[in-house]
Amino acid sequence: MILNFSFSTFVFLANCWFIYGVFPRSLAVGTTEAIAQRGFAGTESPVGYGVTAGGQGGKVFRVSTEDGLKTALSVTEKKIVFITGPIAISSKSLSVPSHTSLIGQGKSAVLSGHGFLIKSVSNVIIQNLKISKVPKNDGITLQNATRVWIDHNEFESIFHSEFCISDPKSKRCRDEPDVFDGQIDIVRASDQITVSWNYLHDHYKSSLVGNAPDLQKVDAGHLRVTYHHNFWKHEGTRGPAGRFGHQHVYNNLYEDFEFQAIHSRSGNQVLVEANVFRGKCTEALSTVGLVIPLDSPNSSVDGDAEADGFANLGAANDWGKCKVKITKEGTFTSVPYKYEMTPLQELEKVVKAGAGIGKLMV
């Protein structure tokens, strides 16, 4: 069922979420009262980057079924869609049009089976949704999308580290890590993306930026992504892994990220600052181009050879027990937007308290 409301009913909420991109003050946690949307998709970027307002000023829908969600998404004009669940998506990933906000209510909006495809569109916000167990596909895929804000969501499937020790001689992964693909994959010249305050857990390959080493002509000059205040827990690889673009990775919490977290390859550049790593960990950051065998699929038992990437370190990181391998320093030393960092000693508490669903006043 879809209920259509006048937008004026939601002016206050729109002001909080879409114009300013902030937590309501009553939900501020530590230093996170500062703008939550800051990043390449955010309103604090300079002229030329635009703003990410989603469906602000458009129709408002409330949906609780797959059919209702499909119907709302079929509306091409700008809109805000409030979702309650759970909803099992039966057929394929749902395409999200431009100028759309998808917002889960409370902790009820749990989506399974399939996720969302954001392709060749602009100005999209996805908030407060849990996307669970999407087989052979991504929770959210961005293709040639611009100005997208993915904020305060939860992504999970199943992660078993033993998937990659089935062949002790070759150390090659079996197919099981690809039962579920990425959680948030950003590809094919997508640009001006912010991924913030999400809880990503129990999954093998989390977030890939640039999905092929032969797409430099397509991706170069794009794939500018900000990751901040995300909580990655019990993951395998790609937190994130990038090709050909620029990713600003700051104030994220990694707990039991077992194999390789931040990977910059094929000329990609990352600016990494004020992140915290806890628990099990092998590599926190690497610019070695080789795609490790543990990051399946691989055409070689030794991994797939690509050109090295670049990394620069800003504010100090807490690497925990993890290794860091920086082969090349790049030119990506600052970003064209304002941002405020949570102090390193407060980050673990702040991110655990603020990331994921049920934290926004919806």
Side-chain angles (χ1 to χ4, degrees), residues 128-263:
N128 204 46
L129 301 178
K130 180 176 180 179
I131 300 177
S132 176
K133 298 180 178 66
V134 178
K136 298 295 183 180
N137 209 338
D138 306 321
I140 296 177
T141 305
L142 280 66
Q143 294 184 16
N144 192 34
T146 58
R147 297 191 292 124
V148 178
W149 183 26
I150 300 172
D151 174 72
H152 278 95
N153 302 288
E154 181 177 348
F155 301 83
E156 61 90 25
S157 64
I158 300 171
F159 172 62
H160 298 297
S161 59
E162 63 267 21
F163 284 164
C164 278
I165 60 173
S166 60
D167 187 345
K169 292 183 179 180
S170 69
K171 298 181 181 179
R172 186 172 183 177
C173 296
R174 302 185 316 212
D175 290 334
E176 285 89 337
D178 297 306
V179 169
F180 306 102
D181 201 353
Q183 294 177 307
I184 306 170
D185 280 10
I186 303 167
V187 303
R188 305 298 174 101
S190 292
D191 203 16
Q192 303 169 32
I193 313 299
T194 297
V195 180
S196 60
W197 295 100
N198 299 285
Y199 178 32
L200 308 103
H201 62 100
D202 295 290
H203 190 87
Y204 205 100
K205 301 179 299 182
S206 183
S207 188
L208 182 65
V209 182
N211 63 334
D214 59 352
L215 291 177
Q216 181 174 6
K217 290 183 179 180
V218 174
D219 289 335
H222 306 286
L223 300 179
R224 292 172 293 178
V225 186
T226 305
Y227 292 86
H228 74 85
H229 291 92
N230 299 290
F231 181 18
W232 270 290
K233 182 177 181 179
H234 198 210
E235 304 266 276
T237 61
R238 305 182 184 181
R243 296 182 176 101
F244 305 123
H246 293 74
Q247 296 90 52
H248 184 201
V249 184
Y250 78 92
N251 268 169
N252 299 283
L253 174 63
Y254 300 81
E255 186 175 297
D256 293 332
F257 208 109
E258 294 201 16
F259 303 133
Q260 185 181 66
I262 305 165
H263 189 206

Side-chain angles (χ1 to χ4, degrees), residues 33-50:
E33 187 179 17
I35 294 177
Q37 195 184 349
R38 281 177 175 150
F40 279 119
T43 58
E44 294 297 293
S45 299
V47 173
Y49 280 79

Side-chain angles (χ1 to χ4, degrees), residues 13 149 160 257 302 332 347:
L13 296 178
W149 183 26
H160 298 297
F257 208 109
D302 299 318
F332 185 34
L347 184 69

Side-chain angles (χ1 to χ4, degrees), residues 257-318:
F257 208 109
E258 294 201 16
F259 303 133
Q260 185 181 66
I262 305 165
H263 189 206
S264 183
R265 61 192 190 240
S266 289
N268 187 74
Q269 301 213 32
V270 291
L271 173 59
V272 181
E273 50 185 346
N275 301 285
V276 171
F277 291 79
R278 294 287 183 262
K280 296 180 181 178
C281 184
T282 304
E283 284 184 350
L285 167 63
S286 175
T287 63
V288 178
L290 182 73
V291 182
I292 60 173
L294 294 168
D295 189 1
S296 73
N298 300 285
S299 57
S300 167
V301 295
D302 299 318
D304 293 339
E306 296 184 23
D308 286 5
F310 300 86
N312 286 88
L313 303 180
N317 297 272
D318 182 348

Side-chain angles (χ1 to χ4, degrees), residues 29-109:
V29 180
T31 58
T32 63
E33 187 179 17
I35 294 177
Q37 195 184 349
R38 281 177 175 150
F40 279 119
T43 58
E44 294 297 293
S45 299
V47 173
Y49 280 79
V51 298
T52 304
Q56 177 191 346
K59 291 184 177 181
V60 175
F61 300 93
R62 292 183 180 273
V63 305
S64 58
T65 65
E66 179 183 11
D67 287 342
L69 182 55
K70 288 180 177 179
T71 300
L73 290 175
S74 70
V75 176
T76 57
E77 57 196 288
K78 60 184 176 182
K79 61 193 159 298
I80 302 171
V81 183
F82 288 97
I83 303 171
T84 57
I87 298 176
I89 301 173
S90 59
S91 54
K92 61 180 181 179
S93 295
L94 301 182
S95 294
V96 181
S98 295
H99 312 301
T100 297
S101 297
L102 300 178
I103 305 173
Q105 295 200 277
K107 295 184 178 182
S108 70

